[in-house]
Coordinates of all heavy atoms in Angstrom, one line a residue:
K33 N -26.4 13.9 3.4 CA -26.4 13.8 1.9 C -25.6 14.9 1.2 O -24.9 14.7 0.2 CB -27.8 13.7 1.4 CG -28.6 12.4 1.8 CD -30.0 12.5 1.4 CE -30.8 11.2 1.8 NZ -32.2 11.3 1.5
E34 N -25.8 16.1 1.8 CA -25.1 17.3 1.3 C -23.6 17.1 1.6 O -22.7 17.4 0.7 CB -25.6 18.6 1.9 CG -27.1 18.8 1.4 CD -27.6 20.1 2.1 OE1 -26.9 21.1 2.3 OE2 -28.8 20.1 2.5
Q35 N -23.2 16.7 2.7 CA -21.8 16.4 3.0 C -21.2 15.4 2.1 O -20.1 15.6 1.5 CB -21.6 15.9 4.5 CG -21.9 16.9 5.6 CD -21.8 16.2 7.0 OE1 -21.9 15.0 7.1 NE2 -21.8 17.0 8.0
A36 N -21.9 14.3 1.9 CA -21.4 13.3 1.0 C -21.2 13.7 -0.4 O -20.3 13.4 -1.1 CB -22.4 12.1 1.0
H37 N -22.1 14.6 -0.9 CA -22.0 15.1 -2.3 C -20.8 16.0 -2.4 O -20.0 15.9 -3.3 CB -23.2 15.9 -2.6 CG -23.1 16.7 -3.9 ND1 -23.1 16.0 -5.2 CD2 -23.0 18.0 -4.2 CE1 -22.9 16.9 -6.1 NE2 -22.8 18.1 -5.6
E38 N -20.5 16.9 -1.4 CA -19.4 17.8 -1.5 C -18.1 17.0 -1.3 O -17.1 17.3 -1.9 CB -19.5 18.9 -0.4 CG -20.6 19.9 -0.7 CD -20.5 21.2 -0.1 OE1 -19.3 21.6 0.2 OE2 -21.5 21.9 0.1
L39 N -18.1 16.0 -0.4 CA -17.0 15.1 -0.2 C -16.6 14.5 -1.5 O -15.4 14.5 -2.0 CB -17.3 14.0 0.8 CG -16.3 12.8 0.9 CD1 -15.0 13.3 1.4 CD2 -16.9 11.7 1.8
S40 N -17.6 13.9 -2.2 CA -17.4 13.2 -3.5 C -16.9 14.2 -4.6 O -16.0 13.8 -5.4 CB -18.7 12.6 -4.0 OG -19.0 11.5 -3.2
E41 N -17.4 15.4 -4.6 CA -16.9 16.4 -5.5 C -15.4 16.7 -5.3 O -14.6 16.8 -6.2 CB -17.7 17.7 -5.4 CG -19.1 17.6 -6.0 CD -19.1 17.2 -7.5 OE1 -18.5 18.0 -8.3 OE2 -19.7 16.2 -7.8
F42 N -15.0 16.8 -4.0 CA -13.6 17.0 -3.7 C -12.7 15.8 -4.1 O -11.7 16.0 -4.7 CB -13.5 17.3 -2.2 CG -12.0 17.4 -1.7 CD1 -11.4 18.7 -1.8 CD2 -11.3 16.3 -1.3 CE1 -10.1 18.8 -1.4 CE2 -10.0 16.4 -0.9 CZ -9.4 17.7 -0.9
L43 N -13.2 14.6 -3.8 CA -12.4 13.4 -4.1 C -12.3 13.2 -5.6 O -11.2 12.9 -6.1 CB -13.1 12.2 -3.5 CG -13.1 12.2 -2.0 CD1 -14.0 11.0 -1.5 CD2 -11.7 12.0 -1.4
K44 N -13.3 13.5 -6.4 CA -13.3 13.4 -7.8 C -12.2 14.2 -8.4 O -11.5 13.8 -9.4 CB -14.6 13.8 -8.4 CG -15.8 12.8 -8.2 CD -17.0 13.4 -8.8 CE -18.3 12.7 -8.3 NZ -19.5 13.3 -8.8
K45 N -12.0 15.4 -7.9 CA -11.0 16.3 -8.4 C -9.6 16.1 -7.9 O -8.6 16.5 -8.6 CB -11.4 17.8 -8.1 CG -12.7 18.2 -8.7 CD -13.1 19.6 -8.2 CE -14.4 20.0 -8.7 NZ -14.9 21.3 -8.1
N46 N -9.4 15.4 -6.8 CA -8.1 15.4 -6.1 C -7.6 14.0 -5.8 O -6.4 13.9 -5.4 CB -8.2 16.2 -4.8 CG -8.5 17.6 -5.0 OD1 -7.7 18.4 -5.4 ND2 -9.7 18.1 -4.8
V47 N -8.4 13.0 -5.9 CA -8.0 11.7 -5.4 C -8.3 10.6 -6.4 O -9.4 10.5 -6.9 CB -8.7 11.3 -4.0 CG1 -8.4 9.9 -3.6 CG2 -8.3 12.3 -3.0
N48 N -7.4 9.7 -6.6 CA -7.6 8.5 -7.5 C -7.1 7.3 -6.7 O -5.9 7.2 -6.6 CB -6.8 8.7 -8.8 CG -7.4 9.7 -9.7 OD1 -8.6 9.6 -10.2 ND2 -6.7 10.8 -10.0
V49 N -8.0 6.5 -6.3 CA -7.6 5.3 -5.6 C -7.8 4.0 -6.5 O -8.5 4.1 -7.4 CB -8.4 5.1 -4.3 CG1 -8.1 6.3 -3.3 CG2 -9.9 5.0 -4.5
D50 N -7.1 3.0 -6.0 CA -7.3 1.7 -6.8 C -8.4 0.8 -6.2 O -9.0 0.0 -6.9 CB -5.9 1.0 -6.7 CG -4.8 1.8 -7.3 OD1 -4.8 1.9 -8.6 OD2 -3.9 2.3 -6.6
K51 N -8.6 0.9 -4.9 CA -9.6 0.1 -4.2 C -10.4 0.9 -3.2 O -9.8 1.8 -2.6 CB -8.9 -1.1 -3.5 CG -8.2 -2.1 -4.5 CD -7.4 -3.2 -3.7 CE -6.7 -4.1 -4.6 NZ -5.9 -5.1 -3.8
I52 N -11.6 0.5 -3.0 CA -12.5 1.1 -2.0 C -13.1 0.0 -1.1 O -13.7 -1.0 -1.7 CB -13.6 2.0 -2.6 CG1 -13.0 3.1 -3.4 CG2 -14.5 2.5 -1.6 CD1 -14.0 3.9 -4.2
Y53 N -13.0 0.2 0.2 CA -13.7 -0.8 1.1 C -14.6 0.0 2.0 O -14.3 1.2 2.4 CB -12.6 -1.5 2.0 CG -11.6 -2.3 1.2 CD1 -10.4 -1.7 0.7 CD2 -11.8 -3.7 1.0 CE1 -9.5 -2.5 0.0 CE2 -10.9 -4.4 0.3 CZ -9.8 -3.8 -0.2 OH -8.9 -4.6 -0.9
V54 N -15.7 -0.6 2.4 CA -16.7 0.0 3.3 C -17.1 -1.0 4.3 O -16.8 -2.2 4.1 CB -17.9 0.6 2.6 CG1 -17.5 1.7 1.6 CG2 -18.7 -0.5 1.9
S55 N -17.8 -0.6 5.4 CA -18.4 -1.6 6.3 C -19.7 -2.2 5.7 O -20.0 -1.8 4.5 CB -18.7 -0.9 7.6 OG -19.9 -0.2 7.5
K56 N -20.3 -3.1 6.4 CA -21.6 -3.6 5.9 C -22.8 -2.7 6.2 O -23.9 -3.1 5.8 CB -21.8 -5.0 6.6 CG -21.1 -6.2 5.9 CD -21.6 -6.5 4.5 CE -21.0 -7.8 4.0 NZ -21.5 -9.0 4.6
L57 N -22.5 -1.6 6.8 CA -23.6 -0.7 7.1 C -23.8 0.4 6.0 O -22.8 1.0 5.6 CB -23.3 0.0 8.5 CG -23.2 -1.0 9.6 CD1 -22.7 -0.4 10.9 CD2 -24.6 -1.7 9.9
K58 N -25.0 0.6 5.6 CA -25.2 1.3 4.3 C -24.8 2.8 4.4 O -24.5 3.4 3.3 CB -26.7 1.2 3.9 CG -27.7 1.8 4.9 CD -29.1 1.5 4.5 CE -30.1 2.0 5.5 NZ -31.5 1.7 5.1
R59 N -24.7 3.3 5.6 CA -24.2 4.7 5.7 C -22.8 5.0 5.1 O -22.5 6.1 4.6 CB -24.3 5.3 7.1 CG -23.6 4.5 8.2 CD -24.0 5.1 9.5 NE -23.4 4.5 10.7 CZ -23.8 3.4 11.3 NH1 -24.9 2.7 10.9 NH2 -23.2 3.0 12.4
T60 N -22.0 3.9 5.2 CA -20.6 4.1 4.6 C -20.7 4.0 3.1 O -20.1 4.8 2.4 CB -19.7 3.0 5.2 OG1 -20.2 1.7 4.9 CG2 -19.6 3.1 6.7
E61 N -21.4 3.1 2.5 CA -21.5 2.9 1.1 C -22.2 4.2 0.5 O -21.8 4.7 -0.5 CB -22.2 1.7 0.7 CG -22.2 1.5 -0.9 CD -22.9 0.2 -1.3 OE1 -23.6 -0.4 -0.4 OE2 -22.7 -0.2 -2.4
D62 N -23.2 4.7 1.1 CA -24.0 5.8 0.6 C -23.1 7.1 0.6 O -23.2 7.9 -0.2 CB -25.2 6.1 1.5 CG -26.3 5.0 1.3 OD1 -26.2 4.2 0.4 OD2 -27.3 5.0 2.1
T63 N -22.1 7.1 1.6 CA -21.2 8.3 1.7 C -20.3 8.3 0.5 O -20.0 9.4 -0.1 CB -20.4 8.2 3.0 OG1 -21.3 8.4 4.1 CG2 -19.4 9.3 3.0
I64 N -19.8 7.2 0.0 CA -18.8 7.1 -1.0 C -19.3 6.7 -2.4 O -18.6 6.6 -3.4 CB -17.7 6.2 -0.5 CG1 -16.3 6.7 -1.0 CG2 -18.0 4.7 -0.9 CD1 -15.9 8.0 -0.4
Y65 N -20.7 6.5 -2.4 CA -21.3 5.9 -3.7 C -21.0 6.8 -4.9 O -20.6 6.3 -6.0 CB -22.8 5.8 -3.5 CG -23.5 5.4 -4.7 CD1 -23.6 4.1 -5.2 CD2 -24.2 6.4 -5.4 CE1 -24.2 3.8 -6.4 CE2 -24.9 6.1 -6.6 CZ -24.9 4.8 -7.1 OH -25.6 4.5 -8.3
E66 N -21.2 8.1 -4.8 CA -21.0 9.0 -5.9 C -19.6 9.0 -6.5 O -19.4 9.0 -7.7 CB -21.4 10.4 -5.5 CG -21.6 11.4 -6.6 CD -22.0 12.8 -6.1 OE1 -22.8 12.8 -5.1 OE2 -21.6 13.8 -6.7
Y67 N -18.7 9.0 -5.6 CA -17.2 9.0 -6.0 C -16.9 7.7 -6.7 O -16.3 7.6 -7.7 CB -16.3 9.2 -4.8 CG -14.9 9.0 -5.1 CD1 -14.1 9.9 -5.9 CD2 -14.2 7.8 -4.6 CE1 -12.8 9.7 -6.1 CE2 -12.9 7.7 -4.9 CZ -12.2 8.6 -5.7 OH -10.8 8.3 -5.9
A68 N -17.3 6.5 -6.0 CA -17.0 5.2 -6.6 C -17.6 5.0 -8.0 O -17.0 4.4 -8.9 CB -17.5 4.1 -5.6
K69 N -18.9 5.5 -8.1 CA -19.5 5.4 -9.4 C -18.8 6.2 -10.5 O -18.6 5.7 -11.6 CB -21.0 5.9 -9.3 CG -21.8 5.8 -10.6 CD -23.2 6.3 -10.4 CE -24.0 6.1 -11.7 NZ -25.4 6.6 -11.5
E70 N -18.4 7.4 -10.2 CA -17.7 8.3 -11.1 C -16.4 7.6 -11.5 O -16.0 7.6 -12.7 CB -17.4 9.6 -10.5 CG -16.5 10.6 -11.2 CD -17.1 11.2 -12.5 OE1 -18.4 11.2 -12.5 OE2 -16.4 11.6 -13.3
K71 N -15.7 7.0 -10.6 CA -14.4 6.4 -10.9 C -14.5 5.0 -11.3 O -13.4 4.3 -11.7 CB -13.5 6.5 -9.6 CG -13.2 7.9 -9.1 CD -12.3 8.6 -10.2 CE -11.9 10.0 -9.6 NZ -11.0 10.7 -10.6
E72 N -15.7 4.4 -11.4 CA -16.0 3.0 -11.8 C -15.1 2.0 -11.0 O -14.5 1.2 -11.5 CB -15.7 2.9 -13.3 CG -16.6 3.8 -14.2 CD -16.4 3.6 -15.6 OE1 -15.3 3.2 -16.0 OE2 -17.3 3.8 -16.4
I73 N -15.2 2.2 -9.7 CA -14.5 1.3 -8.8 C -15.5 0.5 -8.0 O -16.4 1.0 -7.4 CB -13.6 2.1 -7.8 CG1 -12.6 2.9 -8.5 CG2 -12.8 1.2 -6.8 CD1 -11.8 3.9 -7.7
E74 N -15.3 -0.8 -8.0 CA -16.2 -1.7 -7.2 C -15.9 -1.5 -5.7 O -14.8 -1.4 -5.2 CB -15.8 -3.2 -7.5 CG -16.7 -4.2 -6.7 CD -16.2 -5.6 -6.9 OE1 -15.2 -5.8 -7.6 OE2 -16.8 -6.5 -6.3

Side-chain angles (χ1 to χ4, degrees):
K33 292 175 182 177
E34 294 177 37
Q35 289 176 344
H37 173 70
E38 292 202 24
L39 166 69
S40 292
E41 289 299 301
F42 175 87
L43 293 173
K44 288 175 191 177
K45 296 174 184 175
N46 297 284
V47 174
N48 290 294
V49 298
D50 301 289
K51 295 176 180 176
I52 299 176
Y53 298 87
V54 299
S55 77
K56 279 288 188 76
L57 300 167
K58 61 186 177 182
R59 56 191 182 270
T60 59
E61 185 177 15
D62 289 349
T63 296
I64 213 67
Y65 171 80
E66 191 178 326
Y67 171 74
K69 183 178 180 181
E70 172 74 18
K71 297 295 183 177
E72 298 182 334
I73 301 173
E74 178 187 3

